[in-house]
């Protein structure tokens, strides 16, 4: 039995776990159609819903000392996230930030639960400052502790164990970061990484004694390693070598001295646990047996007796598992619904590789329906560009497979997860090489007997939307149809109109507005006369990243050459978070493909 698209979009997910001080577990779940805050006290117990909003909630973080948490929420996808304090029983909710025109990025609780840190672009839309605020204060009561007027995108990396220092993370681009240590008492700042350009510093966590920082960085290798960083001198030493794969995330519980290390191995998450002895030597600990997929949240319980891990796997929708260190047992605590669709219908992708035009090997995931036949194929291109398609659960993939489409998800050059050299292969003047990877992928697919290369669909969102439009105009005879969601059509107008806080960050990847001729040359809008395939464009009216004008101009131009459809959602931003809008958006995709493919 094949289920309709609405049924698949009603498959739920539970992620973002956060333990409270008494062992209660908060998490995000989208049972109501958008993610809200829920809570459990035990495995498979009936969860309590704590927040009740029409807008999606982005995260929830429990206080380390009180039965209360902070969550973040924007309005209509505008990304101007506000921070709210929520009582542990849901009885009281307070807007802590009260600056609706500014973006607020959560920076974590102090260990005593009295204060929290965040960054915000309150003073100037283009720049973020760091603030500290008491849990009982609101609005303008926050104290500005780090001036970001001369900095790029800032976030807070965490509080020291004694709550006297903060780590400030500066992102010049997705591949170039800096770290600062701020002493809150003396107000002195130490720039820890000023001699190094083009280096990433990902996850950052204070060591249990406050004498060292644990960071993931590629300063000493092509991939992200776990390193110890001296917060006084910036001296760096490798603490854990991830081999050929990135160390993608870390977590540390100070009281128990437990270190969690997550590697990204060909897209799959690999979790290891260690105890840090007095000399910071890593003593291996038993780790939970989790579904083979992608970790989408980790939290330590009191004294780290329990560890909550949210996992999304190819055939397992996201759920929260809790590992009991005393018993060694791993139990799934949440029961996010599959909307009545039997799990045995879900199919796992195969990890494959193909050679591109210059013999570079490109990794991809390919999922093919059961049975014989020559199936049409959805070439699903991720955004970013420094992102990665990983083997997490995707209800849309499962719908396409169940309805006779193969799904091909390439990680073209420029993708994250495969080292710095690979990630830099599409920078600026090399932009179109990544589009050529898509053509090479379709060539490879066409040679496979189970794939009908004459019925290939270019499908993608955000930067993946640009890739769709570029593939349709650069290699027009390859495609039966194209679906562009919140994509870039014109790099000049995109950079001119994107949020001010993002422009310089994005110019580092795509090229500067000072070089308009180059940007115009790689913009699909200027080759739209080449297009041959029908085009569907979906966009959110409130999108601050890729403004809706990109959708307007590409549909105006493309409609002169091919059948074109456009759907704009007035209450969405960079993507579609509300269930009713997702049903409309992907229902339109299904109808469009049924007509043209």
């Amino acid at each position: 039995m094949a289920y309709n698209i609405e049924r698949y979009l009603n498959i739920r997910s539970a992620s973002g776990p956060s333990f409270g001080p008494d062992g209660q577990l908060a998490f995000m779940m989208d049972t109501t159609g958008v993610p809200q805050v829920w809570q459990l006290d035990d495995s498979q117990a009936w969860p309590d819903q704590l927040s009740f909003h029409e807008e999606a909630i982005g995260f929830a973080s429990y206080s380390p000392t009180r039965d209360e948490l902070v969550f973040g929420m924007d309005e209509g996808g505008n990304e101007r996230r506000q921070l709210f304090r929520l009582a542990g029983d849901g009885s009281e909710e307070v807007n802590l930030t009260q600056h609706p025109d500014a973006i607020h990025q959560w920076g974590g609780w102090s260990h005593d639960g009295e204060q929290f840190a965040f960054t915000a672009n309150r003073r100037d839309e283009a720049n973020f400052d760091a603030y500290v605020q008491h849990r009982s204060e609101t609005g303008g009561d926050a104290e500005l502790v780090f001036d970001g007027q001369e900095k790029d995108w800032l976030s807070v990396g965490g509080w020291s164990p004694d709550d006297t220092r903060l780590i400030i993370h500066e992102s010049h681009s997705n591949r170039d970061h800096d770290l600062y240590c701020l002493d809150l008492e003396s107000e002195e700042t130490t720039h820890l990484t000023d001699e190094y350009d083009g280096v990433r510093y990902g996850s950052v966590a204070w060591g249990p004694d406050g004498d060292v920082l644990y960071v993931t960085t590629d300063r000493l290798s092509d991939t992200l390693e776990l390193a110890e960083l001296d917060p006084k001198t910036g001296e760096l030493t490798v603490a854990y070598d991830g081999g050929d794969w990135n160390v993608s995330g870390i977590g540390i519980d100070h009281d128990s001295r437990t270190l969690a290390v997550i590697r990204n191995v060909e897209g799959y998450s690999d979790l290891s646990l260690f105890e840090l002895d007095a000399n910071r030597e890593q003593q291996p600990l038993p780790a939970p047996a989790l579904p083979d997929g992608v970790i989408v949240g980790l939290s330590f319980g009191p004294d780290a007796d329990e560890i909550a891990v949210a996992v999304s796997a190819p055939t397992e929708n996201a759920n929260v598992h809790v590992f009991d260190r005393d018993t060694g047992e791993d139990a799934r605590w949440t029961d996010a619904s599959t909307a009545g669709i039997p799990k045995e219908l879900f199919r796992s992708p195969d990890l494959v590789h193909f050679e591109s035009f210059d013999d570079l090997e490109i990794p991809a995931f390919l999922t093919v329906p059961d049975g014989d036949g020559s199936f049409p194929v959805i070439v699903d291109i991720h955004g970013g560009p420094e992102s990665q398609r990983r083997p997490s659960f995707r209800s849309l993939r499962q719908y396409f497979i169940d309805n006779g489409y193969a799904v091909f998800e390439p990680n073209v050059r420029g993708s994250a997860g495969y080292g710095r050299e690979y990630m830099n292969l599409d920078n600026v003047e090399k932009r179109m090489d990544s589009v050529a990877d898509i053509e090479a992928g379709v060539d490879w697919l066409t040679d496979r007997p189970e794939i009908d290369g004459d019925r290939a669909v270019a499908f993608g969102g955000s930067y993946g939307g640009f890739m769709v439009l570029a593939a349709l105009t650069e290699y027009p005879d390859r495609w039966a149809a194209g679906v562009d969601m919140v994509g870039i059509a014109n790099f000049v107008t995109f950079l001119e109109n994107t949020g001010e806080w993002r422009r310089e960050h994005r110019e580092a990847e795509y090229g500067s507005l000072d070089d308009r001729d180059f940007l115009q040359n790689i913009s699909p809008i200027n080759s739209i006369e080449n297009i041959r395939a029908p085009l569907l464009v979906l966009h959110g009216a409130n999108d601050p990243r890729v403004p809706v004008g990109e959708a307007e101009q590409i549909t105006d131009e493309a409609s002169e050459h091919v059948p074109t459809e456009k759907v704009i959602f007035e209450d969405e931003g960079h993507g579609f978070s509300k269930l009713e809008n997702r049903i409309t958006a992907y229902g339109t995709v299904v109808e469009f493909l049924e007509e043209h493919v």
Side-chain angles (χ1 to χ4, degrees):
M1 175 180 179
Y3 296 87
N4 63 27
I5 185 64
E6 183 171 348
R7 190 72 164 268
Y8 274 91
L9 294 175
N10 271 285
I11 296 174
R12 307 305 188 190
S13 65
S15 61
S18 180
F19 267 119
D22 299 317
Q24 64 273 59
L25 182 71
F27 55 96
M28 311 301 301
M29 191 160 65
D30 55 357
T31 299
T32 63
V34 292
Q36 296 295 305
V37 185
W38 295 70
Q39 186 186 83
L40 275 173
D41 293 321
D42 202 357
S43 173
Q44 299 293 307
W46 190 265
D48 293 322
Q49 185 177 351
L50 302 185
S51 67
F52 299 84
H53 293 278
E54 294 182 1
E55 301 291 351
I57 289 178
F59 77 92
S61 177
Y62 239 116
S63 164
T65 58
R66 292 180 176 85
D67 188 21
E68 64 184 24
L69 46 85
V70 167
F71 70 82
M73 180 176 66
D74 70 4
E75 183 176 350
N78 65 7
E79 299 190 16
R80 298 185 183 116
R81 177 179 287 174
Q82 306 299 298
L83 305 179
F84 299 81
R85 190 183 74 241
L86 181 67
D89 60 2
S91 61
E92 181 185 22
E93 184 178 294
V94 178
N95 185 335
L96 295 170
T97 46
Q98 299 181 5
H99 280 72
D101 294 330
I103 297 170
H104 297 82
Q105 301 179 113
W106 177 244
W109 290 96
S110 60
H111 291 78
D112 61 10
E114 294 296 321
Q115 301 178 96
F116 59 91
F118 63 91
T119 56
N121 59 346
R122 292 179 174 182
R123 293 195 298 167
D124 180 353
E125 183 182 359
N127 298 101
F128 285 80
D129 302 306
Y131 296 82
V132 167
Q133 183 171 326
H134 191 272
R135 56 172 291 278
S136 64
E137 295 176 334
T138 58
D141 295 332
E143 178 187 1
L144 191 154
V145 295
F146 188 91
D147 187 330
Q149 293 299 101
E150 302 299 323
K151 307 296 182 186
D152 289 323
W153 192 307
L154 295 183
S155 58
V156 174
W159 297 73
S160 63
D162 61 0
D163 291 336
T164 63
R165 291 167 292 169
L166 288 176
I167 291 300
I168 307 297
H169 182 280
E170 181 181 17
S171 177
H172 306 288
S173 70
N174 287 344
R175 60 183 185 274
D176 187 6
H177 306 157
D178 270 305
L179 294 176
Y180 304 82
C181 182
L182 169 66
D183 189 309
L184 293 170
E185 295 178 346
S186 69
E187 300 182 357
E188 293 183 357
T189 299
T190 303
H191 189 178
L192 301 176
T193 55
D194 60 339
E195 297 180 3
Y196 304 93
D197 294 326
V199 173
R200 290 178 291 168
Y201 300 92
S203 294
V204 183
W206 286 91
D209 303 312
D211 57 345
V212 72
L213 290 164
Y214 287 89
V215 301
T216 61
T217 180
D218 57 5
R219 185 158 77 176
L220 302 177
S221 73
D222 184 58
T223 55
L224 293 170
E225 300 174 303
L226 176 62
E228 294 180 356
L229 180 67
D230 189 314
K232 295 179 180 179
T233 67
E235 182 180 352
L236 190 80
T237 56
V238 174
Y240 180 93
D241 183 354
D244 294 332
W245 303 107
N246 285 337
V247 177
S248 57
I250 57 174
I252 296 180
D253 180 75
H254 291 161
D255 292 336
S256 68
R257 308 182 69 87
T258 303
L259 167 67
V261 178
I262 304 169
R263 288 193 309 153
N264 174 349
V265 181
E266 285 276 27
Y268 290 87
S269 293
D270 173 72
L271 172 65
S272 299
L273 298 176
F274 303 93
E275 181 179 345
L276 297 169
D277 65 20
N279 297 317
R280 300 200 302 270
E281 295 293 328
Q282 299 161 18
Q283 308 303 324
L285 295 171
L290 300 169
D292 197 11
V294 180
I295 292 176
V296 289
L298 182 147
S299 178
F300 293 103
D303 300 318
D305 290 337
E306 295 179 314
I307 302 174
V309 184
V311 182
S312 175
T315 61
E316 295 277 347
N317 53 322
N319 273 289
V320 179
H321 299 249
V322 174
F323 176 57
D324 188 315
R325 292 178 59 184
D326 291 333
T327 66
E329 295 180 354
D330 167 45
R332 199 186 79 184
W333 273 38
T334 62
D335 189 21
S337 167
T338 62
I341 301 175
K343 287 189 176 182
E344 54 265 27
L345 286 183
F346 301 151
R347 290 184 59 80
S348 289
D350 291 325
L351 176 63
V352 299
H353 299 82
F354 63 92
E355 288 188 357
S356 191
F357 66 94
D358 55 357
D359 299 327
L360 181 69
E361 188 174 84
I362 307 295
F365 292 100
L366 175 63
T367 318
V368 179
D370 278 330
D372 298 325
S374 187
F375 300 107
V377 60
I378 309 288
V379 180
D380 189 353
I381 311 165
H382 69 69
E386 295 111 332
S387 184
Q388 181 186 16
R389 182 54 51 84
R390 304 186 65 184
S392 55
F393 185 86
R394 302 184 70 235
S395 58
L396 196 59
R397 178 202 298 133
Q398 298 298 342
Y399 169 81
F400 285 138
I401 298 302
D402 194 25
N403 285 270
Y405 293 88
V407 177
F408 183 65
E409 301 166 274
N411 281 308
V412 298
R413 70 188 70 204
S415 299
Y418 306 95
R420 178 172 52 195
E421 181 180 354
Y422 190 84
M423 189 175 67
N424 287 335
L425 288 177
D426 70 337
N427 291 348
V428 193
E429 72 278 359
K430 303 173 184 176
R431 177 66 44 214
M432 302 311 288
D433 287 351
S434 61
V435 183
D437 291 342
I438 298 296
E439 186 204 22
V442 176
D443 281 344
W444 180 85
L445 287 167
T446 302
D447 289 338
R448 298 177 67 94
E450 71 271 32
I451 301 298
D452 183 351
D454 291 331
R455 292 190 290 164
V457 178
F459 183 98
S462 189
Y463 176 79
F466 154 74
M467 292 287 281
V468 166
L469 298 174
L472 294 179
T473 53
E474 292 294 314
Y475 308 104
D477 296 328
R478 295 290 188 189
W479 307 102
V483 179
D484 157 33
M485 296 176 292
V486 298
I488 302 166
N490 184 331
F491 278 104
V492 171
T493 55
F494 157 68
L495 289 171
E496 287 177 336
N497 298 314
T498 192
E500 287 189 33
W501 66 93
R502 301 186 73 249
R503 184 173 301 115
E504 190 171 330
H505 194 269
R506 293 291 78 200
E507 283 185 317
E509 171 66 32
Y510 300 130
S512 170
L513 279 169
D514 293 335
D515 191 357
R516 290 173 180 256
D517 289 343
F518 168 72
L519 293 175
Q520 294 285 12
N521 187 54
I522 65 172
S523 295
I525 191 72
N526 296 315
S527 303
I528 200 64
E529 70 278 0
N530 295 339
I531 193 170
R532 299 288 181 270
L535 176 64
L536 171 63
V537 177
L538 307 166
H539 217 105
N542 302 322
D543 191 339
R545 298 185 178 222
V546 180
V548 69
E550 297 298 298
E552 303 285 359
Q553 59 179 306
I554 198 66
T555 51
D556 287 348
E557 295 288 338
S559 63
E560 297 182 8
H561 305 281
V562 295
T564 305
E565 297 182 40
K566 175 182 67 179
V567 182
I568 306 297
F569 296 90
E570 297 300 325
D571 57 347
E572 296 282 11
H574 195 61
F576 317 120
S577 63
K578 298 178 175 65
L579 178 60
E580 61 187 49
N581 290 338
R582 295 178 68 236
I583 290 172
T584 298
Y586 296 120
T588 302
V589 170
V590 169
E591 294 173 359
F592 176 80
L593 296 183
E594 287 177 349
E595 178 181 356
H596 297 290
V597 180

